[in-house]
Amino acid sequence: DADVTQTPRNRITKTGKRIMLECSQTKGHDRMYWYRQDPGLGLRLIYYSFDVKDINKGEISDGYSVSRQAQAKFSLSLESAIPNQTALYFCATSDSGLAGVGEQYFGPGTRLTVT
Amino acid sequence: GNSVTQMEGPVTLSEEAFLTINCTYTATGYPSLFWYVQYPGEGLQLLLKATKADDKGSNKGFEATYRKETTSFHLEKGSVQVSDSAVYFCALSDQGDSNYQLIWGAGTKLIIKP
């Protein structure tokens, strides 16, 4: 079984709808991240969490919210989806400590299309 | 601030050709450097890393050397295969950055033709 799973894998939704993307991990890592990938722009960090009680905004948090329900679960919500949120979304985890920062483990991604 | 610049793709090569993907960085502290690979339809996975100047990271036939004097971390492979077709990302983490974030390059798509 995969260490980091994301659901759904693909989603098409309409403008204005609320949508939640879910991430679960079995690696036992404290740190979890949500990224967005757009062609030619690499990865951009949306939110990150260093433990259940710690949530931090990343580079592009506007229009998104997150919930860390447990050490193993980190959800990303789009409160009112808009077309420019169409992208590939990745969840990632890492171990705590300085060495863990660069070694992130990624889920397979969720392809979201907002029409 | 910290940043990573990669050569633009796509890079198209024939099988068994020599590969170089350029990566340069700017950092205010003492960064660790990474190469990640994204195969079609998959998430990213760590390919190799180097944590200090002159370190060489290597994995699956790929190598990259941390060059502080030229602020570079170029990815090389002596003989590429069709299965190496993927998107490659260079990234850095700065231990002096209390946010502990990875800074990503834009990615370079590699296409290997048989």
Side-chain angles (χ1 to χ4, degrees), chain A residues 9 31 33 35 37 40-43 45 48 50 57-58 88 90 98-99 101-104 106-108, chain B residues 34 36 38 41-46 49 87 89 93-95 97-102 104-107:
Chain A
R9 293 295 311 277
R31 298 179 177 179
Y33 311 80
Y35 289 97
Q37 184 180 29
L41 294 178
L43 292 174
L45 184 64
Y48 60 104
F50 282 176
K57 293 183 178 181
L88 188 55
F90 286 104
L98 293 175
V101 172
E103 298 185 36
Q104 296 186 7
F106 283 77
Chain B
F34 306 86
Y36 278 77
Q38 183 183 23
E42 298 183 11
L44 285 74
Q45 54 186 274
L46 180 64
K49 68 175 184 179
V87 181
F89 292 90
S93 69
D94 187 347
Q95 295 185 22
D97 179 357
S98 60
N99 290 324
Y100 301 115
Q101 293 182 26
L102 267 177
W104 296 89

Side-chain angles (χ1 to χ4, degrees), chain A residues 46-99:
Chain A
I46 306 173
Y47 272 95
Y48 60 104
S49 168
F50 282 176
D51 65 42
V52 175
K53 297 181 180 180
D54 177 79
I55 303 288
N56 303 281
K57 293 183 178 181
E59 178 186 356
I60 54 163
S61 59
D62 287 349
Y64 301 94
S65 62
V66 291
S67 173
R68 184 83 184 266
Q69 300 97 324
Q71 187 205 34
K73 296 184 181 297
F74 193 35
S75 301
L76 176 71
S77 293
L78 287 67
E79 298 300 327
S80 180
I82 56 176
N84 76 1
Q85 291 177 314
T86 293
L88 188 55
Y89 290 85
F90 286 104
C91 175
T93 74
S94 71
D95 204 353
S96 55
L98 293 175

Side-chain angles (χ1 to χ4, degrees), chain B residues 69-85:
Chain B
E69 64 275 15
T70 54
T71 62
S72 65
F73 192 55
H74 304 322
L75 183 68
E76 297 181 336
K77 186 175 185 183
S79 177
V80 293
Q81 306 300 313
V82 172
S83 57
D84 293 326
S85 297

